[in-house]
Amino acid sequence: LELGDKPGFMHMINMVFHEAGHVILFWTPQLLCSFGGTLGQLVVPLVIAIAFLVQKDVRFSAGVWMWWFGQSLVDVAPYVNDARASRLILLGGATGTDIEGHDWMYILEKLNMLSMDVKIARVVLASGRVIMVISLLVALFLVFWCYFREEKQQEV
């Protein structure tokens, strides 16, 4: 697959929040419950990033958590990309073909967007990468800004 079929180093960490999203939304309609996994792995780092962002002295941490949010998008992209093919090996060891599909196959099928899986996956992947780069740049800027601010305060 173009978008990669090998999970990255954070995949199993993301998977905890992904599965928790399904569990939290098990009582909702099937479409929302299926989307709950992706929501779980995206909402957790995003909410924590926002929590750090509103606090003055820990904004660097917000950049790190926004990087994780972007990385979670990158982690989701191969599964969106695989919606029609259903070849990726899932948590239980089977492929989507073996078990009648996976979350993104179901989601895109219900939304009549299954034929757009690759295009959507590319947007998700690109968005994640852009967020990761911007987050790191912002975090680095904040480190240098704080350093030079402290240097200037010590001169006074």
Side-chain angles (χ1 to χ4, degrees):
L1 295 171
E2 288 179 35
L3 297 177
D5 57 358
K6 294 185 180 166
F9 73 97
M10 298 233 353
H11 178 69
M12 292 311 288
I13 297 168
N14 290 332
M15 187 60 64
V16 171
F17 299 106
H18 179 98
E19 294 305 323
H22 289 306
V23 171
I24 291 167
L25 295 176
F26 80 94
W27 56 274
T28 63
Q30 175 90 29
L31 182 62
L32 186 55
C33 184
S34 292
F35 194 58
T38 298
L39 283 175
Q41 79 179 74
L42 295 177
V43 167
V44 169
L46 186 60
V47 166
I48 294 172
I50 291 168
F52 279 123
L53 189 61
V54 298
Q55 298 177 25
K56 261 190 204 176
D57 296 332
V58 289
R59 290 196 176 132
F60 171 80
S61 298
V64 173
W65 285 91
M66 279 306 295
W67 177 89
W68 187 357
F69 172 73
Q71 191 281 329
S72 288
L73 283 168
V74 169
D75 189 60
V76 166
Y79 292 96
V80 178
N81 189 64
D82 187 61
R84 278 180 288 175
S86 292
R87 289 185 293 212
L88 288 180
I89 297 174
L90 305 174
L91 190 59
T95 66
T97 304
D98 297 334
I99 60 166
E100 300 177 9
H102 56 67
D103 296 339
W104 277 98
M105 181 178 142
Y106 180 80
I107 292 165
L108 294 178
E109 195 172 69
K110 286 295 178 190
L111 297 175
N112 293 320
M113 298 173 73
L114 191 56
S115 64
M116 296 177 62
D117 60 348
V118 175
K119 290 178 185 175
I120 294 168
R122 287 185 178 160
V123 170
V124 170
L125 179 66
S127 300
R129 287 177 173 169
V130 167
I131 290 168
M132 289 172 74
V133 169
I134 289 172
S135 298
L136 287 177
L137 291 175
V138 168
L140 286 172
F141 169 79
L142 289 171
V143 166
F144 287 114
W145 182 69
C146 288
Y147 173 77
F148 288 118
R149 187 180 69 181
E150 285 179 21
E151 285 281 319
K152 199 170 197 169
Q153 286 176 352
Q154 288 177 358
E155 290 176 5
V156 174

